[in-house]
């Protein structure tokens, strides 16, 4: 819970038109209100200023293969409403392809470049994202959302997903949601295999993270059920890069 309260930048991969990032922003707003950052509308002016400042810190990046097809119709109409409600300071959009290697030119620009970010006054923002891809540089996001994507791109996402986990900063959280857990089981196995290869025989030298996983679905309190493919509702997995 402490790490969730500290989220200031999030990246939704394969976001789609009606995406999970909006739900995350609403959830973070509730957390802020509960800890007193977002008081009621009749608060004193200094409290209101503190509330707005906290919300303006939040930045969201939306990545999707076909984002240009519906960005103007949906995202550009949604962006001003999110900003006016104080849920986010800036929304950045970019096209990416999870079936391409993580370090392909397209994906490098999407993850590290400035992209098409706009602030509430219409000007471009994104100095915090304009990193360029250099050796040893971490992705700037606190939280990654990947929903219903691994099953759709089954077994073609390895390079991209393992790449963002590898490039994420320590403490970054990953939220995975899929209709069934089979691809999430595969993700856990791939991460464990990479770590084992590095520890035992020195291979996989580019793989640096240690990752902790926690099931958040119906199997959360039933460890014996977590290895199975049966779930009540979707399969949901949280990963923490240590």
């Amino acid at each position: 819970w402490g790490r969730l309260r500290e989220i200031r930048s999030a990246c939704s991969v394969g976001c789609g038109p009606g995406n999970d990032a909006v739900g995350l922003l609403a959830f973070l707003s509730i957390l802020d209100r509960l800890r007193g950052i977002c008081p009621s509308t009749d608060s004193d002016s200094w409290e209101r200023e503190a509330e707005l400042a906290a919300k303006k810190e939040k930045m969201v990046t939306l990545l999707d293969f076909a984002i240009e097809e519906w960005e103007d119709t949906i995202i550009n109409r949604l962006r001003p409403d999110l900003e006016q409600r104080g849920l986010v300071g800036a929304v950045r959009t970019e096209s990416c392809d999870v079936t391409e290697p993580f370090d392909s030119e397209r994906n490098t620009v999407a993850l590290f470049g400035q992209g098409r970010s706009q602030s509430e006054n219409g000007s471009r923002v994104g100095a915090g994202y304009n990193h360029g891809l250099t050796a040893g540089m971490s992705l700037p996001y606190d939280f990654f959302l990947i929903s219903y994507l691994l099953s759709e791109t089954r077994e073609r996402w390895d390079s991209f997903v393992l790449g963002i986990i590898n490039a994420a900063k320590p403490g970054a959280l990953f939220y995975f949601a899929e209709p069934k857990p089979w691809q999430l089981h595969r993700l856990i196995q791939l991460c464990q295999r990479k770590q084992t290869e590095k520890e035992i025989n020195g291979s996989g030298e580019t793989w640096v993270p240690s990752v902790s996983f926690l099931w958040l679905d119906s199997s959360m309190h039933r460890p014996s059920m977590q290895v199975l493919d049966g779930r009540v509702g979707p399969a949901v997995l949280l990963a923490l890069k240590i």
Side-chain angles (χ1 to χ4, degrees):
W1 284 107
R3 292 189 183 277
L4 291 175
R5 294 188 183 100
E6 296 170 359
I7 294 172
R8 287 296 175 264
S9 58
C11 178
S12 177
V13 181
C15 59
N19 61 74
D20 44 16
V22 177
L24 174 65
L25 291 173
F27 174 72
L28 294 178
S29 178
I30 294 172
L31 288 185
D32 285 345
R33 188 173 297 280
L34 290 175
R35 64 174 178 158
I37 289 182
C38 303
S40 60
T41 53
D42 59 353
S43 60
D44 295 335
S45 59
W46 69 270
E47 292 177 318
R48 182 62 178 167
E49 289 176 4
E51 171 188 350
L52 292 176
K55 289 182 175 180
K56 284 182 178 179
E57 289 180 1
K58 295 187 177 70
M59 303 183 74
V60 171
T61 294
L62 305 177
L63 304 180
D64 195 277
F65 176 79
I67 201 165
E68 294 178 357
E69 297 181 11
W70 38 261
E71 178 184 15
D72 186 58
T73 305
I74 299 177
I75 300 300
N76 288 346
R77 298 187 182 190
L78 177 64
R79 179 188 279 123
D81 188 56
L82 294 175
E83 293 173 346
Q84 289 169 12
R85 291 173 182 266
L87 293 177
V88 68
V91 178
R92 172 178 169 261
T93 59
E94 196 60 76
S95 175
C96 79
D97 188 347
V98 301
T99 66
E100 291 182 1
F102 165 76
D103 57 357
S104 70
E105 181 178 357
R106 180 180 190 175
N107 290 335
T108 296
V109 170
L111 289 163
F112 290 90
Q114 179 169 324
R116 297 181 292 276
S117 172
Q118 289 184 344
S119 68
E120 55 189 334
N121 63 11
S123 61
R124 280 200 172 189
V125 209
Y129 295 99
N130 192 13
H131 293 290
L133 182 58
T134 57
M137 182 158 290
S138 298
L139 290 168
Y141 311 109
D142 303 314
F143 198 86
F144 294 83
L145 293 150
I146 304 177
S147 300
Y148 288 67
L149 182 66
L150 304 190
S151 299
E152 181 181 345
T153 58
R154 59 189 69 175
E155 299 184 11
R156 294 181 292 163
W157 48 260
D158 298 23
S159 172
F160 185 92
V161 175
L162 294 180
I164 62 174
I165 293 176
N166 201 30
K169 60 186 179 182
L173 291 166
F174 293 79
Y175 173 93
F176 297 93
E178 296 291 331
K180 297 291 182 181
W182 63 297
Q183 287 294 293
L184 299 180
H185 287 146
R186 183 168 179 272
L187 171 66
I188 294 173
Q189 292 168 0
L190 286 173
C191 289
Q192 291 175 340
R193 187 183 308 161
K194 287 278 189 180
Q195 190 64 37
T196 301
E197 288 173 354
K198 183 176 181 179
E199 292 173 353
I200 293 180
N201 55 32
S203 65
E205 58 276 358
T206 59
W207 179 256
V208 295
S210 176
V211 186
S212 176
F213 294 99
L214 173 68
W215 290 100
L216 298 180
D217 52 33
S218 61
S219 70
M220 181 175 183
H221 301 295
R222 301 169 185 251
S224 62
M225 303 295 292
Q226 292 171 1
V227 297
L228 305 178
D229 282 336
R231 295 289 191 276
V232 178
V236 181
L237 182 69
L238 188 71
L240 167 66
K241 179 172 178 180
I242 301 173

